[in-house]
Amino acid sequence: QITLKESGPTLVKPTETLRVTCTFSGFSLSTSGVGVGWIRQPPGKALEWLALIYWDDDKRYSPSLKSRLIITKDTSKNQVVLTMTNMDPVDTGTYYCAHLGGGLSLDYWGQGTLVTVSS
Amino acid sequence: QSALTQPPSASGSPGQSVTISCTGTSGDVGAYNYVSWYQQHPGKAPKLMIYEVTKRPSGVPDRFSGSKSGNTASLTVSGLQAEDEADYYCSSYADSKNWVFGTGTKVTVL
């Protein structure tokens, strides 16, 4: 049974750096083909793909946010961490992590964590 | 890369069918058969409904079906039920070796 859960601060100030953690179970990020991605959703708006990390440490980033994002994994802890620098109020939203499944789909999602950017 | 284009809303009566389009480019939807569809109820995480254009994960009713022609993918919900009322998002793998989501469609069951 695959589960994922996001954790991190609920409030960050503008210009600060956000660090959100995805803790998962039911699979290993050391297994060939496995990946974990991050997606966000501003309140009332659409989903936006942010980043993904593969089992072999291959990393993919949204072209529009690439300069602000870093994704890392800790295989021993079953965790993936997304760091986003220079936070702005427009970055307010729910941040989800998800398991990369068949056909490059996201087949299991965490419940999401709401991050508000405000001074 | 730009978001895939979906109609903002779609509706149908119980038992009817509704089809949602998802238009991309030759660099995403048109280039790969890696189109997925997600259902999202208010306050909930998205749920995978269709992957690889036409495949349904275990547990997803066969009322949900997907297709693709050129740069446009489609999701059809047949035999609409009240619980199908939700937001739907398409997604595609893209030439830039990452993913792009659609703008989202709110489906209303009349």
Side-chain angles (χ1 to χ4, degrees), chain A residues 65-84:
Chain A
L65 293 168
K66 185 175 183 177
S67 64
R68 300 174 53 206
L69 295 174
I70 299 173
I71 189 169
T72 60
K73 62 181 175 69
D74 187 328
T75 304
S76 64
K77 293 183 179 179
N78 281 351
Q79 290 182 333
V80 172
V81 175
L82 181 72
T83 302
M84 180 179 287

Side-chain angles (χ1 to χ4, degrees), chain A residues 41 49 60-61 63 104 106 110, chain B residues 38 40 45 93 97-99:
Chain A
Q41 185 173 37
W49 185 83
R60 310 289 176 82
Y61 295 103
L104 301 182
L106 299 169
Chain B
Y38 302 89
Q40 187 180 34
Y93 187 67
K97 294 187 178 181
N98 48 41
W99 286 254

Side-chain angles (χ1 to χ4, degrees), chain A residues 39 41 44-49 52 54 60-64 96 100 102-112, chain B residues 1 33-36 38 40 43-48 50-52 89 93 96-104:
Chain A
I39 306 94
Q41 185 173 37
K45 296 189 177 182
L47 300 170
E48 179 182 18
W49 185 83
L52 185 137
Y54 282 101
R60 310 289 176 82
Y61 295 103
S62 165
S64 61
Y96 296 99
L100 185 67
L104 301 182
S105 65
L106 299 169
D107 57 356
Y108 293 90
W109 293 63
Q111 64 190 21
Chain B
Q1 64 198 20
N33 286 326
Y34 293 133
V35 175
S36 305
Y38 302 89
Q40 187 180 34
K44 300 295 186 181
K47 174 186 176 183
L48 177 66
I50 296 286
Y51 68 100
E52 285 187 63
Y89 294 92
Y93 187 67
S96 45
K97 294 187 178 181
N98 48 41
W99 286 254
V100 60
F101 278 99
T103 51

Side-chain angles (χ1 to χ4, degrees), chain B residues 18 37-39 41 47-51 53-66 75-85 88:
Chain B
V18 64
W37 289 90
Y38 302 89
Q39 177 192 65
H41 287 109
K47 174 186 176 183
L48 177 66
M49 304 302 283
I50 296 286
Y51 68 100
V53 180
T54 61
K55 298 178 180 179
R56 279 179 289 106
S58 174
V60 172
D62 59 7
R63 303 184 291 103
F64 291 85
S65 62
L75 173 72
T76 297
V77 186
S78 305
L80 266 176
Q81 298 183 6
E83 59 262 36
D84 300 333
E85 185 162 297
Y88 291 82

